[in-house]
Amino acid sequence: MGKKGGKPDEKATHTQEEVGAQGSAQAQAPLSSRRTSGRSPVLLFRIGDLVFGGRPGRLVDGSREAYTNRPMSDTVYDVIIIGGGPAGATAALYTARAELKTLVFDKAIRAGALGITGKIANYPGIKEVLSGEELLRRMREHAELYGAKFIKSKVTGTVLTQDPKQVFSAEGEVYQAKAVIVATGSMGRSHTVPGEQELLGRGVSYCATCDGAFYKGQEVMVYGSSEETADEALFLTRYASKVFLVTPKPKLDVHEPMHAKLSEATKIEILTKTRLKSIAGEEGVDHAVLIKTTGEEKLPVKGVFIFTQGGKPIIDFIGGQLELNAKGGIKVNEEMVTSVPGVFACGDMLVREVQQAVVAAGEGCLAALSADKFINKRTTVAKDYK
Ligand SMILES: Cc1cc2nc3c(=O)[nH]c(=O)nc-3n(C[C@H](O)[C@H](O)[C@H](O)COP(=O)(O)OP(=O)(O)OC[C@H]3O[C@@H](n4cnc5c(N)ncnc54)[C@H](O)[C@@H]3O)c2cc1C
């Protein structure tokens, strides 16, 4: 098949008036609206069993209704892939080779399972011992060679049940595509701390890029150990007077260049071997309770940004629009087709018994070929070779 040169997306060009609730996951009117001093109101929504909170134009977590008045590009991609691990990067290789205009969102190369794997020795064709990160870079470069475009950005919401489908970035932009492939892996958090749910949208956030501007001149904390955590802490220094970067580990899981950037950031103070026990406050966050090696301590901060990782599929941006399987992963058939036409899922986020890079890559291939079948209205899958 020929090489495709999908043109990168042009910048956002117009304003989205309102994102409607359609399809099976009908979002209801806001459950409540809370105003905290100096901020736009926080709206709470329910989709199925899930409750989300957001400000108009500012997302806290997953709700389509939180996305009013967002800039939207006129470009309609053939395929948007969410997640650039082995599943997403392989899907991108196949969709790009199928001459589909492909955009991949990935929040950080070292935020996924392969990206943090120190050594990988069982990937077919790679005889030398490679870091997972290096293998992933090679996969991405291979997809880029055929025209796939990768953006370093977190997806914070989606509308999957309408055509074209919409994907919302943490930077506040709306992207459109005929098909969406979800490949975000299974490193999502598995538990919350006391106070977190209650104060979500009122000082607790999972997205510095979305909410950082609300903390101008205030002290905040960021919790986690990954490159994503460090990136978000650096972003917050634009607004906050002080950023405490709190990690339970003895040191952050980041490369030397990131360590150097952090040590140059005078507003950042790193607290290692420190756990977040709880978050407290009435109208908004008043303080966090930390457990240090020396004992418990109150940290008076107005914002708590949480980026810790666990073993749950990352599906917070889906908001109940896709059916799940018994293990909490997205339900697919053997062709990686989900319950919503034009939406496909692959990789660790399916929560299969075997979680290996080569399996994720194989599923990425299947998802891509199914997306091509859907977009081009084929009755059978097209071969990727002649
Ligand atoms: C420590 C460790 C060692 C391992 N060793 C091996 C091994 O030796 N051999 C092997 O075959 N397998 C190994 N595995 C398993 C293998 O890494 C996984 O099966 C594989 O990486 C899964 O691929 P994936 O693409 O589904 O998910 P991931 O690799 O987790 O990639 C998911 C990607 O999605 C991105 N993402 C997540 N949420 C968002 C969002 N909201 N917006 C944008 N992007 C997002 C992340 O940045 C990430 O890059 C190991 C796993 C771990 C944790």
Side-chain angles (χ1 to χ4, degrees):
M1 246 179 226
K3 176 177 183 313
K4 152 105 198 265
K7 244 193 130 202
D9 178 34
E10 279 77 44
K11 261 282 177 205
T13 52
H14 66 86
T15 295
Q16 184 190 26
E17 287 307 323
E18 184 145 2
V19 179
Q22 286 184 5
S24 56
Q26 291 287 335
Q28 297 164 0
L31 298 172
S32 71
S33 167
R34 302 169 185 165
R35 185 178 287 277
T36 50
S37 58
R39 298 189 200 160
S40 54
V42 173
L43 307 176
L44 295 180
F45 299 91
R46 185 183 294 283
I47 300 176
D49 290 339
L50 302 170
V51 175
F52 301 96
R55 296 184 185 89
R58 294 262 162 207
L59 179 81
V60 174
D61 198 0
S63 164
R64 64 184 76 184
E65 262 60 27
Y67 295 105
T68 53
N69 299 317
R70 294 200 137 204
M72 182 162 67
S73 166
D74 284 331
T75 306
V76 178
Y77 285 88
D78 289 316
V79 185
I80 288 181
I81 299 170
I82 309 173
T90 307
L93 170 65
Y94 277 78
T95 55
R97 277 176 57 82
E99 311 220 331
L100 298 173
K101 191 173 170 68
T102 301
L103 180 66
V104 185
F105 282 90
D106 193 73
K107 60 183 180 181
I109 198 162
R110 283 169 60 80
L114 187 58
I116 59 160
T117 300
K119 287 177 186 169
I120 180 157
N122 57 2
Y123 196 82
I126 306 288
K127 286 182 285 182
E128 69 272 36
V129 178
L130 267 192
S131 71
E133 185 178 351
E134 176 53 26
L135 177 60
L136 200 46
R137 280 193 201 285
R138 291 188 191 183
M139 288 185 188
R140 290 181 182 195
E141 280 167 19
H142 197 174
E144 280 167 344
L145 191 66
Y146 288 95
K149 186 181 179 225
F150 285 72
I151 296 186
K152 188 179 177 196
S153 175
K154 180 175 177 174
V155 168
T156 48
T158 50
V159 176
L160 301 174
T161 49
Q162 70 178 38
D163 293 312
K165 300 171 191 318
Q166 298 185 339
V167 172
F168 306 97
S169 75
E171 289 73 23
E173 282 168 6
V174 184
Y175 294 79
Q176 304 185 84
K178 295 175 191 164
V180 170
I181 297 175
V182 186
T184 40
S186 65
M187 292 193 64
R189 289 178 71 215
S190 36
H191 72 282
T192 56
V193 297
E196 180 179 337
Q197 288 299 314
E198 296 83 346
L199 292 163
L200 183 61
R202 291 186 293 139
V204 174
S205 171
Y206 306 132
C207 180
T209 325
C210 313
D211 290 337
F214 294 114
Y215 297 89
K216 208 166 183 338
Q218 297 181 328
E219 299 203 345
V220 299
M221 76 164 263
V222 177
Y223 188 55
S225 308
S226 63
E227 189 184 85
E228 182 195 10
T229 316
D231 262 342
E232 299 282 57
L234 283 169
F235 181 85
L236 282 166
T237 59
R238 294 185 195 184
Y239 307 104
S241 56
K242 172 130 193 169
V243 180
F244 294 94
L245 204 175
V246 180
T247 171
K249 299 195 174 181
K251 71 184 195 50
L252 295 164
D253 293 333
V254 299
H255 279 319
E256 196 39 52
M258 179 60 88
H259 279 299
K261 275 192 207 170
L262 290 171
S263 59
E264 279 165 22
T266 50
K267 284 185 182 176
I268 294 184
E269 182 177 337
I270 301 174
L271 307 178
T272 57
K273 296 186 191 167
T274 304
R275 294 192 172 279
L276 174 63
K277 185 185 177 196
S278 59
I279 306 163
E282 290 296 325
E283 282 297 295
V285 168
D286 176 69
H287 65 268
V289 179
L290 305 178
I291 307 175
K292 296 181 150 188
T293 45
T294 47
E296 256 180 51
E297 205 173 276
K298 272 188 189 176
L299 185 71
V301 283
K302 292 294 169 214
V304 178
F305 292 81
I306 304 177
F307 302 100
T308 45
Q309 295 172 320
K312 276 200 154 184
I314 300 175
I315 53 173
D316 53 353
F317 55 88
I318 287 167
Q321 297 170 87
L322 301 177
E323 263 182 53
L324 302 184
N325 60 35
K327 291 183 175 166
I330 291 180
K331 188 175 173 184
V332 290
N333 68 12
E334 68 278 6
E335 292 179 344
M336 307 297 128
V337 174
T338 70
S339 55
V340 172
V343 183
F344 308 86
C346 49
D348 278 8
M349 64 129 38
L350 306 179
V351 199
R352 301 219 200 265
E353 211 166 315
V354 178
Q355 297 198 326
Q356 287 284 281
V358 68
V359 174
E363 289 174 350
C365 160
L366 287 172
L369 296 178
S370 295
D372 175 54
K373 185 175 160 188
F374 171 81
I375 290 166
N376 289 306
K377 301 186 171 47
R378 302 182 201 280
T379 48
T380 55
V381 162
K383 290 190 175 67
D384 184 51
Y385 57 87
K386 285 184 178 160

